[in-house]
Amino acid sequence: SQQGEEDPQALSIQEGENATMNCSYKTSINNLQWYRQNSGRGLVHLILIRSNEREKHSGRLRVTLDTSKKSSSLLITASRAADTASYFCATDAWGAQKLVFGQGTRLTINP
Amino acid sequence: EAEVAQSPRYKITEKSQAVAFWCDPISGHATLYWYRQILGQGPELLVQFQDESVVDDSQLPKDRFSAERLKGVDSTLKIQPAELGDSAMYLCASGAPTGVGEQFFGPGTRLTVL
């Protein structure tokens, strides 16, 4: 079963624009993580935000977390062609002892 | 930079055959995970090890799937017999125990069952 739901399922933008992806989840969490997956490859960890944090930055990435709405967003600023990939949120729910991944957002950056 | 190793990268087999996948986690990582990822979906946890012990195998189809991590280092995931619906990417990851930090993924094994 998948706890997280990403929105949109697919996103296509021009290089240089900002990309925003959203994740909603169902139960209380310990932390939420975002991963990137290039086509046919393994996942790469991008950022982890804990339940007591509201915003976190890493380079061109900005993640927000709203535990009252059970939602998170990932913003990629000044997008590049190399950002083309699938992006997944993963939640570590209280008591679950495992990460549960969403369906992912497929991001395409057009040159 | 240390990486999670997986082999083979690709496997094509016929249904009813046995297949096995191997994973070598990052040195020192006590926790090892096997995931299955169907095309277009997110990874789904099959089994989680803490050292050589299974922590969670609730989503592992135990009638045909088995996993072991005998010495608490590398791990093998086996499917016998393979079915058409097993075609997927099998990902291995290692890292801190859930609730602490990130997981490090290997490149995966793409399984095609004919």
Side-chain angles (χ1 to χ4, degrees):
Chain A
S1 63
Q2 312 244 310
Q3 161 156 247
E5 291 187 5
E6 279 97 336
D7 172 58
Q9 291 189 352
L11 178 62
S12 181
I13 62 174
Q14 295 300 121
E15 193 167 19
E17 294 180 340
N18 295 341
T20 299
M21 289 157 272
N22 302 295
C23 170
S24 60
Y25 56 92
K26 299 174 183 175
T27 63
S28 296
I29 60 172
N30 185 36
N31 67 60
L32 184 145
Q33 303 180 33
W34 285 91
Y35 287 80
R36 182 187 75 228
Q37 184 178 35
N38 291 88
S39 181
R41 303 301 302 272
L43 282 74
V44 175
H45 182 266
L46 295 176
I47 200 163
L48 180 153
I49 187 164
R50 302 194 185 282
S51 60
N52 61 351
E53 298 175 310
R54 292 296 169 260
E55 187 171 314
K56 208 161 182 180
H57 296 255
S58 176
R60 294 183 296 114
L61 305 181
R62 172 177 169 255
V63 168
T64 62
L65 179 64
D66 187 335
T67 53
S68 66
K69 295 182 179 179
K70 291 185 170 58
S71 67
S72 174
S73 67
L74 170 66
L75 169 67
I76 303 174
T77 60
S79 64
R80 306 167 181 169
D83 295 328
T84 294
S86 290
Y87 292 81
F88 295 91
C89 70
T91 53
D92 170 26
W94 280 108
Q97 296 296 306
K98 63 183 179 183
L99 281 183
V100 179
F101 286 82
Q103 300 274 23
T105 293
R106 294 187 307 279
L107 175 64
T108 302
I109 308 299
N110 302 304
Chain B
E1 183 177 321
E3 295 180 341
V4 176
Q6 287 189 250
S7 66
R9 291 292 311 278
Y10 304 92
K11 180 68 178 180
I12 299 174
T13 190
E14 294 184 346
K15 64 179 182 178
S16 80
Q17 296 298 304
V19 292
F21 314 131
W22 176 79
C23 172
D24 191 13
I26 292 173
S27 178
H29 281 184
T31 310
L32 184 147
Y33 311 84
W34 282 103
Y35 290 89
R36 177 172 59 188
Q37 184 180 25
I38 296 170
L39 191 63
Q41 298 184 18
E44 179 184 26
L45 181 68
L46 291 175
V47 61
Q48 176 182 342
F49 289 93
Q50 183 68 26
D51 299 309
E52 66 276 7
S53 300
V54 173
V55 173
D56 185 340
D57 63 356
S58 58
Q59 299 303 311
L60 188 72
K62 298 180 186 65
D63 57 336
R64 298 185 300 106
F65 286 64
S66 64
E68 61 182 16
R69 193 184 183 198
L70 293 177
K71 297 183 179 179
V73 180
D74 59 339
S75 176
T76 301
L77 178 69
K78 297 179 181 178
I79 308 175
Q80 182 174 18
E83 296 181 352
L84 296 178
D86 296 332
S87 293
M89 176 77 90
Y90 290 83
L91 295 161
C92 179
S94 69
T98 302
V100 179
E102 66 183 280
Q103 295 181 15
F104 297 82
F105 282 79
T109 295
R110 170 71 67 186
L111 173 67
T112 302
V113 182
L114 302 175

